[in-house]
Amino acid sequence: MAMIFTGGHSTTLDALSLAAVAIGGASSKAYDEQVRAVGEPSALIGYPYFIETPSGAVRSGYVDASGLLPRVFTDETGAYNVFWGDEALAMQAEYSG
């Protein structure tokens, strides 16, 4: 399954296009998903992100040259949140104490 989000879908995307690819895992209870930021490389590299799953797991960092964010592993299908830019930095500060 593939989903494509454009800047018009959320003000937090700051004109970035995103492609999230969900790949079924080895069992029907394991899912492995990964977000890839697509756009002008000079605008993407170093752009902050923050990922939060429904179970409370979080991942954060900065987009590298590949545009690939860390894989998100879940036991069942469902939504998870990806925050970008200033919102991602605020979430990183909130979780780091």
Side-chain angles (χ1 to χ4, degrees):
M1 174 177 76
M3 299 171 282
I4 297 177
F5 302 90
T6 64
H9 289 100
S10 171
T11 58
T12 61
L13 295 179
D14 293 333
L16 296 176
S17 295
L18 307 174
V21 180
I23 303 168
S27 83
S28 63
K29 295 183 181 181
Y31 294 87
D32 169 0
E33 303 180 33
Q34 186 171 34
V35 172
R36 179 174 161 241
V38 179
E40 288 295 319
S42 61
L44 295 175
I45 296 173
Y47 202 75
Y49 66 84
F50 184 91
I51 303 169
E52 180 180 44
T53 68
S55 68
V58 297
R59 301 287 298 266
S60 64
Y62 300 87
V63 177
D64 65 13
S66 74
L68 294 173
L69 276 57
R71 290 196 176 277
V72 175
F73 299 95
T74 57
D75 290 332
E76 54 190 59
T77 61
Y80 56 91
N81 296 313
V82 180
F83 300 91
W84 300 96
D86 290 339
E87 194 171 10
L89 294 174
M91 294 297 289
Q92 288 173 7
E94 181 180 321
Y95 274 83
S96 66

